[in-house]
């Protein structure tokens, strides 16, 4: 039943003027349009929305006629990106649930019942009931300043409850990523998962194995790269979902937890972060567990050890690709961070110069500090590298803004500041 609520508490000054302009133009073209989903939910919870989405009865082709310069994206879920200045407003067409034989064509559903295509258009009330959670099924009319509530989402907002619309197991079967979305929303917004939704997670969690790895990487970044990674990980552990995503051995969650806490702090301080660093942390326990065997087979030869480490890092990342598709630039980043860890133990003059000039040095140094905090490396090693950076004018708190693909470049050799440093004159040992 539709509830039109004028007493909702939304601060209109927080609403994007560009989103309102998109709604006005669609309505001028004879279409209906509203703000919808996460932006309405966040406004009601007092959170400043990251972006604004619009739902309309106009088809993507209709939207393109109203806004000639737009971008149509998506296959599973066809939407339109309307650029207004520097802001992109996502416009989607009202859809309805695939609930009859005509809708449930092979191209729409997988053998497991997962929705592959969701482009069967409908009315606004049908659109509301096909959304995932009640708190995401709210529509806001910024012109009349009213909230349209079809699924009692306002009541769940008031109770800070996250509840699936419809039968929870069926909704998770349609799209298992909703399990991770439930975890993410609960952690980010401090919501309590409704008992019926809670009870459906364990029976349906294996369905996550049927999700394409590329979608899981996208969800990985949303869970862990928005400043609430530590809380999200706690919930994943509570629901025993971590093993489905990462091969963490027993007691192997220490470094990942520390990396998540560090990343959350950096995001809050508006410092650069990268998925490559977190992936290096999540896969480090697996890397270490397999390293002893691989390095023993190398028989101590430095050349064989380097080859064994390279093959080990490649195999660990390749195995993870079947679950989460890792873009190449992030996998190279993780491999560099791992490869530099044993090099940080070798404090010779030549090695120090080489490491300080390496583009991944600061990430490797950060990773070393996490290992020290986890009891996996000696504390004096981190202190030594901190002092070296400070003395040579480096910023120990810096980290690359993003992981760039490797490029082979010919560079002119330049002498390093550490070459003539008398503290390295004793053969590269620790300074006296």
């Amino acid at each position: 039943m539709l509830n039109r609520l004028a007493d909702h508490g939304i601060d209109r000054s927080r609403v994007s003027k560009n989103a309102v302009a998109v709604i006005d133009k669609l309505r001028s073209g004879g279409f209906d349009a509203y703000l919808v989903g996460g932006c309405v939910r966040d406004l009601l919870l007092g959170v400043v929305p990251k972006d604004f989405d619009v739902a309309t009865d106009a088809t993507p082709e209709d939207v393109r006629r109203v806004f000639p310069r737009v971008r149509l994206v998506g296959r599973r879920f066809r939407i339109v990106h309307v650029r207004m200045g520097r802001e992109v407003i996502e416009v989607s067409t009202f859809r309805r649930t695939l609930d009859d034989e005509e809708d449930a064509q092979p191209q729409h559903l997988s053998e497991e019942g997962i929705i592959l295509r969701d482009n069967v258009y409908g009315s606004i009330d049908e659109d509301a009931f096909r959304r995932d959670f009640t708190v995401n099924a709210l529509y806001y009319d910024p012109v009349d300043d009213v909230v349209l509530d079809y699924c009692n989402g306002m009541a769940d907002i008031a109770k800070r409850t996250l509840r699936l619309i419809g039968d929870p197991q069926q909704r998770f079967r349609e799209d298992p990523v909703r399990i991770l979305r439930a975890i993410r929303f609960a952690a980010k917004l401090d919501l309590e998962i409704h008992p019926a939704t809670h009870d459906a997670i364990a029976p349906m969690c294996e369905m996550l194995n049927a999700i394409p790895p590329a979608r899981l990487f996208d969800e990985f970044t949303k869970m862990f790269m928005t400043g609430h990674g530590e809380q999200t990980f706690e919930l994943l552990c509570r629901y025993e979902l971590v093993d489905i995503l990462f091969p963490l051995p027993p007691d192997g969650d220490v470094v990942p937890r520390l990396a998540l806490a560090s990343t959350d702090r950096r995001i809050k301080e508006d410092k650069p972060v990268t998925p490559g660093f977190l992936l290096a942390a999540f896969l480090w326990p697996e890397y270490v567990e397999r390293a002893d065997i691989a390095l023993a087979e190398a028989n101590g030869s430095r050349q064989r050890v380097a080859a064994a480490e390279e093959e080990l890092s490649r195999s660990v990342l390749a195995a993870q690709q079947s679950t989460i598709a890792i873009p190449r630039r992030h996998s190279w980043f993780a491999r560099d961070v791992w490869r530099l860890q044993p090099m940080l133990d070798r404090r010779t003059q030549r090695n120090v110069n080489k490491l300080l000039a390496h583009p991944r040095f600061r990430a490797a140094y950060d990773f070393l500090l996490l290992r020290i905090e986890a009891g996996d490396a000696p504390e004096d090693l981190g202190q030594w590298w901190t002092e070296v950076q400070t003395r040579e004018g480096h910023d120990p708190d810096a980290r690359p803004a993003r992981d760039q693909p490797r490029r082979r470049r010919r560079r002119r050799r330049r002498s390093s500041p550490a070459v003539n440093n008398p503290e390295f004159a004793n053969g590269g040992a620790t300074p006296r």
Side-chain angles (χ1 to χ4, degrees), residues 9-176:
I10 287 179
D11 182 354
R12 298 178 74 175
S13 67
R14 292 183 171 181
V15 178
S16 164
K17 294 180 180 178
N18 289 326
V20 175
V22 169
I23 290 173
D24 285 340
K25 195 162 184 179
L26 284 169
R27 290 182 177 180
S28 297
F31 302 104
D32 207 3
Y34 302 89
L35 292 176
V36 69
C39 64
V40 181
R41 176 201 67 216
D42 289 352
L43 287 167
L44 290 165
L45 289 170
V47 177
V48 178
K50 181 181 177 182
D51 45 40
F52 288 82
D53 298 340
V54 171
T56 177
D57 57 356
T59 66
E61 291 72 24
D62 291 331
V63 176
R64 185 157 52 182
R65 281 191 288 270
V66 175
F67 300 93
R69 298 180 63 183
V70 299
R71 184 179 173 212
L72 272 66
V73 297
R75 289 179 55 191
R76 176 182 174 273
F77 190 82
R78 195 82 165 148
I79 57 177
V80 182
H81 285 172
V82 179
R83 181 172 292 278
M84 304 285 286
R86 294 186 177 182
E87 188 175 7
V88 174
I89 308 299
E90 192 171 279
V91 180
S92 61
T93 306
F94 297 146
R95 287 163 170 80
R96 59 185 170 88
T97 305
L98 302 175
D99 57 359
D100 57 42
E101 293 183 3
E102 182 180 351
D103 291 337
Q105 296 298 315
Q107 65 268 28
H108 290 157
L109 297 175
S110 71
E111 293 180 0
E112 296 87 359
I114 298 173
I115 295 176
L116 302 177
R117 300 286 187 276
D118 193 7
N119 294 310
V120 180
Y121 303 133
S123 61
I124 184 172
D125 56 323
E126 290 173 321
D127 187 72
F129 282 98
R130 56 149 288 280
R131 292 183 176 271
D132 49 10
F133 302 101
T134 60
V135 298
N136 289 342
L138 296 164
Y139 301 77
Y140 177 56
D141 182 342
V143 178
D144 293 339
D145 193 26
V146 295
V147 170
L148 278 61
D149 182 5
Y150 291 87
C151 305
N152 293 320
M154 288 292 286
D156 285 338
I157 287 281
K159 293 184 291 186
R160 302 192 75 86
T161 297
L162 191 67
R163 183 204 309 258
L164 275 166
I165 299 169
D167 177 66
Q169 289 200 23
Q170 175 63 28
R171 301 313 304 277
F172 282 147
R173 181 177 292 106
E174 291 172 353
D175 187 359

Side-chain angles (χ1 to χ4, degrees), residues 166-242:
D167 177 66
Q169 289 200 23
Q170 175 63 28
R171 301 313 304 277
F172 282 147
R173 181 177 292 106
E174 291 172 353
D175 187 359
V177 168
R178 287 171 179 157
I179 295 172
L180 301 182
R181 283 168 60 84
I183 299 296
R184 173 160 59 90
F185 291 146
K188 174 185 175 182
L189 302 168
D190 191 24
L191 301 177
E192 191 72 26
I193 297 177
H194 187 270
T197 302
H198 170 284
D199 293 344
I201 291 178
M204 303 306 298
C205 65
E206 290 297 328
M207 291 287 293
L208 287 168
N209 293 319
I211 295 299
R215 278 197 74 198
L216 285 185
F217 176 77
D218 184 52
E219 198 60 33
F220 169 86
T221 60
K222 291 177 181 177
M223 287 192 296
F224 299 128
M225 301 294 295
T226 56
H228 305 87
E230 205 173 3
Q231 301 97 306
T232 301
F233 188 77
E234 290 294 338
L235 282 179
L236 288 172
C237 291
R238 188 184 307 173
Y239 284 94
E240 300 182 351
L241 297 173
V242 176

Side-chain angles (χ1 to χ4, degrees), residues 247-249 252 279-295 305-317 320 334-343 367 371 376:
L248 290 181
L279 287 164
F282 271 103
L283 296 175
W284 175 251
E286 175 76 1
Y287 178 87
V288 171
E289 192 173 68
R290 295 168 56 179
D292 291 340
I293 298 174
L295 297 181
V305 166
E309 289 174 342
E310 182 68 18
E311 177 57 32
L312 173 61
S313 62
R314 185 182 294 111
S315 64
V316 168
L317 287 160
Q320 183 64 30
R335 286 166 67 175
D336 280 348
V337 168
W338 294 340
R339 186 171 62 86
L340 294 181
Q341 295 308 299
M343 294 178 67
F367 201 82
R371 290 176 54 217
D376 184 39

